[in-house]
Protein backbone atom coordinates (compact mmCIF):
# COMPACT_ATOMS: atom_id res chain seq x y z
CA UNK A 1 0.00 0.00 0.00
CA UNK A 2 1.42 3.45 -1.00
CA UNK A 3 1.63 6.25 1.51
CA UNK A 4 -1.21 8.21 -0.17
CA UNK A 5 -3.50 5.17 -0.12
CA UNK A 6 -2.57 4.55 3.49
CA UNK A 7 -3.46 8.12 4.49
CA UNK A 8 -6.75 7.86 2.62
CA UNK A 9 -7.51 4.60 4.47
CA UNK A 10 -6.82 6.27 7.83
CA UNK A 11 -9.04 9.22 6.94
CA UNK A 12 -11.94 7.00 5.92
CA UNK A 13 -11.43 4.89 9.04
CA UNK A 14 -11.50 7.96 11.29
CA UNK A 15 -14.70 9.22 9.63
CA UNK A 16 -16.33 5.84 10.07
CA UNK A 17 -15.29 5.67 13.74
CA UNK A 18 -16.65 9.15 14.44
CA UNK A 19 -20.10 7.96 13.31
CA UNK A 20 -19.78 4.46 14.74
CA UNK A 21 -22.72 3.26 16.84
CA UNK A 22 -21.98 0.61 19.48
CA UNK A 23 -25.22 -1.25 18.83
CA UNK A 24 -27.78 0.80 20.76
CA UNK A 25 -25.10 3.05 22.27
CA UNK A 26 -23.71 6.16 20.59
CA UNK A 27 -20.02 6.93 20.94
CA UNK A 28 -20.83 9.49 23.63
CA UNK A 29 -23.02 7.04 25.56
CA UNK A 30 -20.42 4.29 25.28
CA UNK A 31 -17.76 6.58 26.68
CA UNK A 32 -20.05 7.71 29.51
CA UNK A 33 -20.68 4.08 30.51
CA UNK A 34 -16.98 3.35 30.24
CA UNK A 35 -16.16 6.25 32.55
CA UNK A 36 -18.78 5.22 35.11
CA UNK A 37 -17.02 1.85 35.42
CA UNK A 38 -13.46 3.09 34.93
CA UNK A 39 -10.44 3.47 37.19
CA UNK A 40 -11.47 6.90 38.48
CA UNK A 41 -15.01 5.75 39.31
CA UNK A 42 -16.27 4.02 42.45
CA UNK A 43 -15.74 0.71 40.66
CA UNK A 44 -12.05 1.42 40.15
CA UNK A 45 -11.40 0.51 43.78
CA UNK A 46 -12.19 -3.19 43.40
CA UNK A 47 -12.61 -5.85 40.73
CA UNK A 48 -15.65 -5.24 38.54
CA UNK A 49 -16.88 -7.10 35.49
CA UNK A 50 -19.72 -6.03 33.22
CA UNK A 51 -21.33 -7.15 30.00
CA UNK A 52 -24.31 -5.72 28.12
CA UNK A 53 -25.83 -7.87 25.38
CA UNK A 54 -28.48 -7.14 22.77
CA UNK A 55 -30.76 -10.17 22.72
CA UNK A 56 -32.32 -9.20 19.39
CA UNK A 57 -29.18 -8.60 17.35
CA UNK A 58 -27.14 -11.03 19.47
CA UNK A 59 -24.36 -8.46 19.74
CA UNK A 60 -22.26 -7.41 22.71
CA UNK A 61 -22.82 -3.67 23.24
CA UNK A 62 -20.32 -3.20 26.05
CA UNK A 63 -17.96 -5.30 28.15
CA UNK A 64 -15.40 -4.69 30.86
CA UNK A 65 -13.40 -7.53 32.43
CA UNK A 66 -16.01 -9.91 31.06
CA UNK A 67 -13.39 -12.65 30.72
CA UNK A 68 -12.39 -12.59 34.42
CA UNK A 69 -13.78 -15.15 36.86
CA UNK A 70 -15.82 -13.89 39.82
CA UNK A 71 -17.37 -15.53 42.87
CA UNK A 72 -21.03 -15.59 41.73
CA UNK A 73 -22.74 -16.29 45.07
CA UNK A 74 -26.49 -16.76 44.51
CA UNK A 75 -26.42 -15.93 40.82
CA UNK A 76 -25.38 -19.61 40.67
CA UNK A 77 -29.10 -20.29 41.08
CA UNK A 78 -29.54 -19.34 37.41
CA UNK A 79 -27.59 -22.50 36.55
CA UNK A 80 -29.80 -24.49 38.92
CA UNK A 81 -32.90 -22.97 37.33
CA UNK A 82 -31.68 -23.94 33.88
CA UNK A 83 -30.97 -27.53 34.95
CA UNK A 84 -34.30 -27.85 36.76
CA UNK A 85 -36.40 -26.61 33.85
CA UNK A 86 -34.61 -28.82 31.34
CA UNK A 87 -34.59 -31.99 33.43
CA UNK A 88 -37.52 -31.85 35.88
CA UNK A 89 -40.11 -30.25 33.59
CA UNK A 90 -43.19 -29.48 35.72
CA UNK A 91 -43.06 -31.65 38.85
CA UNK A 92 -40.84 -32.73 41.70
CA UNK A 93 -39.11 -36.01 42.32
CA UNK A 94 -40.53 -37.00 45.71
CA UNK A 95 -39.45 -40.58 46.27
CA UNK A 96 -38.90 -43.98 44.69
CA UNK A 97 -40.71 -46.90 46.28
CA UNK A 98 -41.68 -50.54 46.44
CA UNK A 99 -44.57 -52.01 48.43
CA UNK A 100 -44.71 -55.34 50.23
CA UNK A 101 -48.09 -56.01 51.81
CA UNK A 102 -48.63 -53.48 54.59
CA UNK A 103 -45.08 -52.09 54.30
CA UNK A 104 -43.97 -49.33 51.96
CA UNK A 105 -40.25 -48.86 51.42
CA UNK A 106 -39.13 -45.51 50.06
CA UNK A 107 -35.94 -43.85 48.86
CA UNK A 108 -36.07 -40.05 48.98
CA UNK A 109 -35.52 -38.27 45.67
CA UNK A 110 -34.82 -34.76 46.97
CA UNK A 111 -38.28 -33.14 47.15
CA UNK A 112 -38.03 -30.25 49.68
CA UNK A 113 -41.77 -29.58 49.96
CA UNK A 114 -42.82 -31.51 53.07
CA UNK A 115 -44.04 -28.92 55.58
CA UNK A 116 -41.71 -26.22 54.26
CA UNK A 117 -42.95 -22.64 53.91
CA UNK A 118 -46.25 -22.38 52.03
CA UNK A 119 -45.21 -24.70 49.21
CA UNK A 120 -47.91 -26.93 47.70
CA UNK A 121 -47.80 -30.21 49.59
CA UNK A 122 -47.51 -33.70 48.15
CA UNK A 123 -50.51 -35.68 49.36
CA UNK A 124 -48.52 -37.84 51.75
CA UNK A 125 -51.57 -38.79 53.83
CA UNK A 126 -53.36 -40.39 50.89
CA UNK A 127 -50.23 -42.08 49.61
CA UNK A 128 -49.32 -43.56 53.00
CA UNK A 129 -52.89 -44.48 53.99
CA UNK A 130 -52.85 -48.16 52.80
CA UNK A 131 -49.66 -48.97 54.76
CA UNK A 132 -48.94 -49.62 58.43
CA UNK A 133 -45.16 -49.38 58.24
CA UNK A 134 -42.97 -47.14 56.11
CA UNK A 135 -39.33 -48.15 55.75
CA UNK A 136 -36.96 -45.37 54.76
CA UNK A 137 -33.64 -45.87 53.01
CA UNK A 138 -30.97 -43.32 52.10
CA UNK A 139 -28.74 -45.79 50.25
CA UNK A 140 -29.25 -43.77 47.05
CA UNK A 141 -27.72 -40.62 48.60
CA UNK A 142 -24.16 -39.85 47.50
CA UNK A 143 -23.92 -36.13 48.32
CA UNK A 144 -23.11 -34.87 51.80
CA UNK A 145 -25.33 -32.66 54.04
CA UNK A 146 -23.02 -29.68 53.39
CA UNK A 147 -21.71 -28.77 49.95
CA UNK A 148 -18.05 -28.43 49.02
CA UNK A 149 -16.68 -24.99 49.82
CA UNK A 150 -19.43 -24.02 52.28
CA UNK A 151 -18.35 -22.01 55.30
CA UNK A 152 -18.44 -24.12 58.44
CA UNK A 153 -19.61 -21.24 60.68
CA UNK A 154 -22.78 -20.80 58.61
CA UNK A 155 -24.18 -23.87 60.41
CA UNK A 156 -25.99 -21.42 62.76
CA UNK A 157 -28.05 -19.76 60.07
CA UNK A 158 -31.25 -20.75 58.30
CA UNK A 159 -29.70 -20.10 54.87
CA UNK A 160 -27.32 -23.01 55.43
CA UNK A 161 -29.80 -25.81 56.16
CA UNK A 162 -28.42 -29.29 55.58
CA UNK A 163 -29.31 -31.24 52.43
CA UNK A 164 -31.04 -34.62 52.61
CA UNK A 165 -32.84 -37.05 50.35
CA UNK A 166 -36.31 -36.43 51.82
CA UNK A 167 -36.36 -33.33 54.04
CA UNK A 168 -39.14 -32.48 56.44
CA UNK A 169 -39.76 -28.99 57.91
CA UNK A 170 -36.98 -27.76 55.61
CA UNK A 171 -34.50 -29.46 57.97
CA UNK A 172 -35.07 -26.47 60.24
CA UNK A 173 -36.15 -25.79 63.81
CA UNK A 174 -38.66 -22.96 64.05
CA UNK A 175 -38.27 -20.64 67.02
CA UNK A 176 -41.58 -18.96 67.84
CA UNK A 177 -41.60 -15.29 68.86
CA UNK A 178 -41.70 -14.51 72.57
CA UNK A 179 -39.24 -13.05 75.07
CA UNK A 180 -39.69 -15.57 77.88
CA UNK A 181 -39.53 -19.36 77.76
CA UNK A 182 -39.06 -19.54 73.96
CA UNK A 183 -41.06 -22.26 72.26
CA UNK A 184 -39.87 -24.28 69.28
CA UNK A 185 -41.31 -26.48 66.55
CA UNK A 186 -41.25 -29.43 66.15
CA UNK A 187 -42.18 -29.69 69.82
CA UNK A 188 -39.99 -32.78 70.35
CA UNK A 189 -37.04 -30.37 70.53
CA UNK A 190 -38.51 -28.31 73.38
CA UNK A 191 -36.69 -30.44 75.98
CA UNK A 192 -33.40 -29.72 74.17
CA UNK A 193 -33.61 -25.95 74.79
CA UNK A 194 -31.43 -24.68 77.66
CA UNK A 195 -30.19 -21.36 79.01
CA UNK A 196 -26.64 -20.06 78.79
CA UNK A 197 -24.60 -17.16 80.16
CA UNK A 198 -22.89 -16.58 76.82
CA UNK A 199 -23.43 -13.16 75.29
CA UNK A 200 -25.92 -14.09 72.56
CA UNK A 201 -29.10 -12.30 71.50
CA UNK A 202 -30.82 -15.15 69.65
CA UNK A 203 -31.14 -18.86 70.14
CA UNK A 204 -28.18 -20.87 68.89
CA UNK A 205 -27.52 -24.55 68.23
CA UNK A 206 -24.61 -26.56 69.51
CA UNK A 207 -22.17 -27.33 66.71
CA UNK A 208 -22.16 -31.09 67.31
CA UNK A 209 -25.73 -31.81 68.43
CA UNK A 210 -29.35 -30.67 68.36
CA UNK A 211 -29.01 -28.87 71.68
CA UNK A 212 -30.20 -25.26 71.67
CA UNK A 213 -29.30 -22.34 73.92
CA UNK A 214 -30.48 -18.82 74.69
CA UNK A 215 -29.51 -16.17 77.23
CA UNK A 216 -32.62 -14.96 79.14
CA UNK A 217 -30.96 -11.58 79.85
CA UNK A 218 -30.21 -10.68 76.24
CA UNK A 219 -32.67 -12.82 74.26
CA UNK A 220 -34.60 -10.77 71.66
CA UNK A 221 -37.47 -13.21 71.28
CA UNK A 222 -37.88 -12.87 67.53
CA UNK A 223 -39.11 -15.59 65.17
CA UNK A 224 -36.16 -17.51 63.85
CA UNK A 225 -35.11 -20.70 62.09
CA UNK A 226 -32.10 -22.84 62.95
CA UNK A 227 -30.66 -25.69 60.87
CA UNK A 228 -31.04 -29.13 62.40
CA UNK A 229 -28.24 -31.65 62.49
CA UNK A 230 -29.84 -34.26 60.24
CA UNK A 231 -29.69 -38.03 60.38
CA UNK A 232 -31.86 -40.85 59.02
CA UNK A 233 -32.83 -41.78 62.59
CA UNK A 234 -34.05 -38.24 63.30
CA UNK A 235 -35.90 -38.15 60.01
CA UNK A 236 -37.94 -41.30 60.67
CA UNK A 237 -38.88 -39.92 64.11
CA UNK A 238 -40.06 -36.63 62.63
CA UNK A 239 -41.86 -38.39 59.78
CA UNK A 240 -43.65 -40.65 62.29
CA UNK A 241 -44.84 -37.59 64.21
CA UNK A 242 -46.00 -35.83 61.05
CA UNK A 243 -47.77 -38.76 59.38
CA UNK A 244 -49.08 -40.77 62.33
CA UNK A 245 -47.50 -43.86 60.76
CA UNK A 246 -44.75 -46.14 62.00
CA UNK A 247 -41.47 -45.34 60.27
CA UNK A 248 -38.27 -47.35 60.45
CA UNK A 249 -34.81 -46.83 59.04
CA UNK A 250 -33.89 -49.68 56.70
CA UNK A 251 -30.96 -48.72 54.42
CA UNK A 252 -31.63 -51.30 51.70
CA UNK A 253 -30.36 -50.76 48.16
CA UNK A 254 -32.82 -49.45 45.58
CA UNK A 255 -34.05 -52.42 43.53
CA UNK A 256 -34.22 -52.24 39.77
CA UNK A 257 -37.96 -52.82 39.80
CA UNK A 258 -39.43 -49.85 41.65
CA UNK A 259 -41.81 -46.95 41.05
CA UNK A 260 -41.41 -43.19 41.21
CA UNK A 261 -43.77 -40.73 42.87
CA UNK A 262 -43.65 -37.13 41.59
CA UNK A 263 -45.73 -35.51 44.27
CA UNK A 264 -45.74 -31.72 43.85
CA UNK A 265 -45.73 -28.93 41.28
CA UNK A 266 -42.25 -27.63 40.44
CA UNK A 267 -42.96 -23.99 39.57
CA UNK A 268 -43.71 -22.77 43.13
CA UNK A 269 -40.34 -24.16 44.24
CA UNK A 270 -38.53 -22.46 41.37
CA UNK A 271 -40.28 -19.17 42.11
CA UNK A 272 -39.46 -19.26 45.82
CA UNK A 273 -35.86 -20.15 45.10
CA UNK A 274 -35.44 -17.28 42.66
CA UNK A 275 -37.37 -14.50 44.37
CA UNK A 276 -36.18 -15.19 47.91
CA UNK A 277 -32.82 -16.71 46.93
CA UNK A 278 -33.59 -19.81 48.99
CA UNK A 279 -30.39 -21.86 49.26
CA UNK A 280 -32.10 -24.96 50.64
CA UNK A 281 -34.50 -25.17 47.69
CA UNK A 282 -31.66 -24.67 45.21
CA UNK A 283 -29.66 -27.53 46.71
CA UNK A 284 -32.66 -29.85 46.81
CA UNK A 285 -33.48 -28.99 43.20
CA UNK A 286 -30.06 -30.25 42.15
CA UNK A 287 -30.73 -33.39 44.22
CA UNK A 288 -33.92 -33.92 42.24
CA UNK A 289 -32.14 -33.26 38.94
CA UNK A 290 -29.61 -35.94 39.82
CA UNK A 291 -32.32 -38.38 40.85
CA UNK A 292 -34.21 -37.83 37.60
CA UNK A 293 -31.05 -38.35 35.54
CA UNK A 294 -29.40 -41.22 37.37
CA UNK A 295 -31.76 -42.68 39.96
CA UNK A 296 -29.36 -41.57 42.71
CA UNK A 297 -28.56 -38.28 44.42
CA UNK A 298 -25.18 -36.89 43.45
CA UNK A 299 -24.98 -33.14 42.81
CA UNK A 300 -21.44 -33.32 41.47
CA UNK A 301 -22.44 -35.90 38.88
CA UNK A 302 -25.54 -33.89 37.87
CA UNK A 303 -23.46 -30.73 37.40
CA UNK A 304 -20.92 -32.59 35.30
CA UNK A 305 -23.71 -33.98 33.12
CA UNK A 306 -25.38 -30.59 32.62
CA UNK A 307 -22.07 -28.91 31.85
CA UNK A 308 -20.98 -31.49 29.31
CA UNK A 309 -24.41 -31.90 27.70
CA UNK A 310 -25.81 -28.37 27.52
CA UNK A 311 -23.16 -25.79 28.43
CA UNK A 312 -20.12 -26.58 26.29
CA UNK A 313 -20.79 -23.53 24.10
CA UNK A 314 -20.52 -20.98 26.91
CA UNK A 315 -17.70 -18.45 26.41
CA UNK A 316 -15.73 -19.77 29.40
CA UNK A 317 -16.07 -23.13 31.11
CA UNK A 318 -18.06 -22.59 34.30
CA UNK A 319 -16.55 -23.75 37.58
CA UNK A 320 -19.88 -24.86 39.02
CA UNK A 321 -19.90 -26.68 42.35
CA UNK A 322 -23.28 -26.47 44.10
CA UNK A 323 -26.89 -25.52 43.53
CA UNK A 324 -27.17 -22.47 45.76
CA UNK A 325 -23.96 -20.49 45.37
CA UNK A 326 -22.97 -20.95 49.02
CA UNK A 327 -19.67 -22.43 47.85
CA UNK A 328 -16.72 -20.13 47.30
CA UNK A 329 -15.40 -22.68 44.81
CA UNK A 330 -17.94 -21.49 42.20
CA UNK A 331 -16.36 -19.21 39.60
CA UNK A 332 -18.08 -17.71 36.55
CA UNK A 333 -17.18 -14.91 34.15
CA UNK A 334 -19.66 -12.13 33.27
CA UNK A 335 -19.77 -13.29 29.65
CA UNK A 336 -20.54 -16.84 30.78
CA UNK A 337 -23.34 -15.53 32.98
CA UNK A 338 -24.79 -13.65 30.01
CA UNK A 339 -24.42 -16.76 27.84
CA UNK A 340 -26.27 -18.85 30.40
CA UNK A 341 -28.96 -16.20 30.78
CA UNK A 342 -29.49 -16.07 27.03
CA UNK A 343 -30.15 -19.82 27.10
CA UNK A 344 -32.80 -19.28 29.76
CA UNK A 345 -34.27 -16.40 27.76
CA UNK A 346 -34.62 -18.63 24.68
CA UNK A 347 -36.01 -21.65 26.58
CA UNK A 348 -38.37 -20.16 29.19
CA UNK A 349 -41.62 -18.47 28.08
CA UNK A 350 -41.57 -14.72 28.73
CA UNK A 351 -44.39 -14.67 31.28
CA UNK A 352 -42.81 -17.49 33.27
CA UNK A 353 -39.36 -15.91 33.15
CA UNK A 354 -40.62 -12.57 34.47
CA UNK A 355 -42.46 -14.35 37.29
CA UNK A 356 -39.23 -16.07 38.26
CA UNK A 357 -36.97 -13.02 38.17
CA UNK A 358 -36.87 -10.55 41.07
CA UNK A 359 -38.15 -7.19 39.83
CA UNK A 360 -36.60 -3.91 40.92
CA UNK A 361 -38.86 -2.02 43.34
CA UNK A 362 -41.49 -4.78 43.16
CA UNK A 363 -40.43 -8.24 44.27
CA UNK A 364 -37.79 -10.57 45.58
CA UNK A 365 -34.30 -9.63 46.65
CA UNK A 366 -34.40 -6.28 44.79
CA UNK A 367 -37.79 -5.18 46.07
CA UNK A 368 -36.20 -2.19 47.78
CA UNK A 369 -33.77 -1.25 45.01
CA UNK A 370 -33.94 -0.14 41.38
CA UNK A 371 -37.27 1.55 41.98
CA UNK A 372 -38.88 3.31 39.05
CA UNK A 373 -42.31 4.21 37.76
CA UNK A 374 -41.78 1.59 35.08
CA UNK A 375 -39.76 -1.38 36.37
CA UNK A 376 -36.54 -1.77 34.44
CA UNK A 377 -34.41 -4.38 36.25
CA UNK A 378 -35.40 -8.07 36.26
CA UNK A 379 -32.46 -9.96 37.67
CA UNK A 380 -30.99 -12.45 40.13
CA UNK A 381 -28.77 -11.15 42.89
CA UNK A 382 -25.79 -12.87 44.44
CA UNK A 383 -24.20 -11.66 47.66
CA UNK A 384 -21.63 -12.96 50.11
CA UNK A 385 -18.82 -11.23 51.99
CA UNK A 386 -16.94 -8.90 49.61
CA UNK A 387 -18.89 -10.14 46.56
CA UNK A 388 -22.06 -8.86 44.94
CA UNK A 389 -23.45 -9.60 41.49
CA UNK A 390 -26.58 -8.95 39.48
CA UNK A 391 -27.49 -10.92 36.35
CA UNK A 392 -30.61 -10.64 34.22
CA UNK A 393 -32.53 -8.18 32.06
CA UNK A 394 -32.56 -4.41 31.81
CA UNK A 395 -35.43 -2.69 30.01
CA UNK A 396 -34.41 0.46 28.19
CA UNK A 397 -36.55 3.55 27.73
CA UNK A 398 -37.19 2.20 24.24
CA UNK A 399 -39.04 -0.72 25.80
CA UNK A 400 -36.48 -3.25 24.54
CA UNK A 401 -34.79 -5.78 26.79
CA UNK A 402 -31.06 -6.43 27.07
CA UNK A 403 -29.19 -9.08 29.03
CA UNK A 404 -26.46 -8.00 31.40
CA UNK A 405 -24.08 -9.27 34.07
CA UNK A 406 -22.68 -6.88 36.68
CA UNK A 407 -20.20 -8.64 38.99
CA UNK A 408 -18.13 -7.23 41.85
CA UNK A 409 -15.48 -8.88 44.01
CA UNK A 410 -12.90 -7.92 46.63
CA UNK A 411 -14.50 -4.67 47.72
CA UNK A 412 -13.89 -3.45 51.30
CA UNK A 413 -17.25 -1.68 51.68
CA UNK A 414 -20.71 -2.75 52.72
CA UNK A 415 -22.72 -4.44 49.98
CA UNK A 416 -25.41 -1.76 50.35
CA UNK A 417 -22.96 0.87 49.10
CA UNK A 418 -22.01 -1.28 46.10
CA UNK A 419 -25.68 -1.78 45.27
CA UNK A 420 -26.35 1.96 45.38
CA UNK A 421 -23.49 2.67 43.00
CA UNK A 422 -24.64 -0.12 40.69
CA UNK A 423 -28.09 1.43 40.64
CA UNK A 424 -26.64 4.75 39.46
CA UNK A 425 -24.93 2.99 36.55
CA UNK A 426 -27.94 0.90 35.56
CA UNK A 427 -30.48 3.72 35.79
CA UNK A 428 -28.23 5.84 33.57
CA UNK A 429 -27.86 2.92 31.15
CA UNK A 430 -31.64 2.47 31.02
CA UNK A 431 -31.98 6.04 29.73
CA UNK A 432 -29.48 5.29 26.93
CA UNK A 433 -31.18 2.14 25.64
Amino acid sequence: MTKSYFLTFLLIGSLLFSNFSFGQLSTEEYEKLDQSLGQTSFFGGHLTGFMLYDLDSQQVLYEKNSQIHFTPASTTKLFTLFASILVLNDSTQTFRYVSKGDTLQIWGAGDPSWDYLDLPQPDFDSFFAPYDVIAFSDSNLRSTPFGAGWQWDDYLYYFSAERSSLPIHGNLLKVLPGKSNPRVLPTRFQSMVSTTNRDIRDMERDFHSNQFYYNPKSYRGREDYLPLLTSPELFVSLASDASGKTWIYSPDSLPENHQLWRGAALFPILKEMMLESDNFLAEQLMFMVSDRLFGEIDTERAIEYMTESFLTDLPDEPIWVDGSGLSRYNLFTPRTMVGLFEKLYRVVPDQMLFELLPTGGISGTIENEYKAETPYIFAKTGTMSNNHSLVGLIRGKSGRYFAFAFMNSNYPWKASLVRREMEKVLSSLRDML
Side-chain angles (χ1 to χ4, degrees):
M1 180 182 293
T2 66
K3 185 176 180 179
S4 60
Y5 279 118
F6 182 70
L7 291 174
T8 303
F9 176 79
L10 285 179
L11 178 61
I12 293 172
S14 65
L15 290 172
L16 287 172
F17 184 79
S18 65
N19 294 310
F20 181 77
S21 174
F22 297 88
Q24 292 293 308
L25 302 178
S26 68
T27 303
E28 181 180 353
E29 289 170 336
Y30 185 96
E31 290 175 350
K32 181 180 179 181
L33 179 58
D34 203 41
Q35 289 174 1
S36 68
L37 296 170
Q39 288 302 311
T40 59
S41 73
F42 169 83
F43 297 97
H46 62 269
L47 185 62
T48 296
F50 189 88
M51 175 174 273
L52 179 67
Y53 181 77
D54 187 332
L55 290 160
D56 292 336
S57 67
Q58 300 183 353
Q59 290 182 337
V60 175
L61 305 186
Y62 179 87
E63 58 182 327
K64 174 185 176 63
N65 294 332
S66 68
Q67 80 288 359
I68 293 178
H69 286 82
F70 289 79
T71 300
S74 282
T75 58
T76 303
K77 293 182 176 73
L78 290 167
F79 282 80
T80 299
L81 177 66
F82 180 73
S84 300
I85 289 173
L86 258 62
V87 176
L88 298 176
N89 302 127
D90 62 354
S91 59
T92 63
Q93 303 278 106
T94 302
F95 53 69
R96 298 175 183 270
Y97 67 95
V98 294
S99 57
K100 301 174 184 177
D102 64 354
T103 299
L104 175 72
Q105 180 142 24
I106 66 173
W107 290 258
D111 189 338
S113 306
W114 197 355
D115 193 33
Y116 183 57
L117 304 176
D118 295 322
L119 295 174
Q121 294 296 290
D123 192 357
F124 289 108
D125 289 342
S126 295
F127 199 96
F128 295 150
Y131 306 99
D132 296 328
V133 176
I134 301 166
F136 170 73
S137 174
D138 61 352
S139 65
N140 60 327
L141 178 61
R142 304 286 177 265
S143 293
T144 55
F146 278 7
W150 289 15
Q151 295 187 171
W152 70 267
D153 55 348
D154 281 347
Y155 83 94
L156 281 172
Y157 303 107
Y158 74 93
F159 59 77
S160 193
E162 294 187 4
R163 312 180 295 189
S164 62
S165 61
L166 186 57
I168 186 170
H169 313 307
N171 289 340
L172 295 170
L173 176 84
K174 182 177 183 179
V175 183
L176 300 174
K179 293 260 328 182
S180 60
N181 299 320
R183 295 177 300 123
V184 299
L185 297 173
T187 55
R188 68 165 41 243
F189 293 102
Q190 195 67 55
S191 63
M192 301 178 190
V193 177
S194 305
T195 60
T196 181
N197 292 322
R198 290 191 299 114
D199 185 21
I200 56 175
R201 301 179 66 191
D202 298 308
M203 190 178 292
E204 293 185 0
R205 198 200 82 205
D206 179 71
F207 183 70
H208 296 288
S209 68
N210 285 320
Q211 297 289 330
F212 303 90
Y213 303 93
Y214 73 101
N215 185 330
K217 295 180 180 179
S218 56
Y219 183 61
R220 291 190 289 184
R222 66 189 181 96
E223 181 176 286
D224 202 0
Y225 293 86
L226 298 175
L228 292 168
L229 191 65
T230 60
S231 69
E233 293 79 11
L234 175 60
F235 169 72
V236 296
S237 296
L238 293 173
S240 295
D241 293 344
S243 66
K245 296 286 183 176
T246 299
W247 286 64
I248 61 172
Y249 177 47
S250 178
D252 299 338
S253 298
L254 180 66
E256 185 175 343
N257 295 322
H258 66 269
Q259 293 178 276
L260 171 66
W261 188 40
R262 299 170 63 181
L266 185 67
F267 184 76
I269 297 175
L270 298 178
K271 187 173 181 179
E272 184 73 19
M273 173 190 71
M274 291 294 293
L275 296 187
E276 302 304 323
S277 203
D278 191 301
N279 295 326
F280 173 70
L281 293 181
E283 295 298 333
Q284 295 298 142
L285 280 163
M286 289 308 300
F287 272 23
M288 290 191 288
V289 167
S290 177
D291 183 84
R292 176 71 63 88
L293 291 172
F294 312 117
E296 66 176 17
I297 297 173
D298 186 338
T299 293
E300 183 177 356
R301 186 180 177 191
I303 288 174
E304 182 179 5
Y305 173 85
M306 293 302 302
T307 302
E308 293 180 353
S309 300
F310 300 104
L311 303 175
T312 56
D313 57 343
L314 292 177
D316 306 290
E317 183 178 357
I319 302 174
W320 177 18
V321 176
D322 67 3
S324 63
L326 278 171
S327 176
R328 286 186 176 268
Y329 298 162
N330 293 308
L331 287 172
F332 306 139
T333 65
R335 63 189 184 188
T336 283
M337 295 305 300
V338 168
L340 184 280
F341 190 85
E342 184 180 21
K343 288 178 179 289
L344 280 167
Y345 183 79
R346 306 299 179 196
V347 168
V348 182
D350 287 353
Q351 182 178 351
M352 179 178 175
L353 183 61
F354 281 106
E355 283 191 60
L356 290 170
L357 290 173
T359 300
I362 302 293
S363 65
T365 51
I366 54 174
E367 180 179 3
N368 297 316
E369 283 121 19
Y370 307 102
K371 295 180 179 180
E373 185 175 346
T374 301
Y376 69 101
I377 295 293
F378 311 84
K380 182 72 195 76
T381 55
T383 308
M384 62 169 56
S385 299
N386 314 111
N387 295 274
H388 179 71
S389 295
L390 188 67
V391 178
L393 293 171
I394 180 170
R395 176 163 57 191
K397 286 242 172 144
S398 66
R400 295 182 58 217
Y401 292 92
F402 303 82
F404 74 94
F406 200 162
M407 308 186 77
N408 297 273
S409 289
N410 303 324
Y411 52 79
W413 308 285
K414 290 184 178 180
S416 57
L417 176 58
V418 178
R419 291 195 296 268
R420 284 198 297 272
E421 294 298 324
M422 290 170 64
E423 185 168 357
K424 293 177 185 178
V425 173
L426 291 172
S427 62
S428 175
L429 179 60
R430 169 202 57 190
D431 295 339
M432 301 177 191
L433 297 172

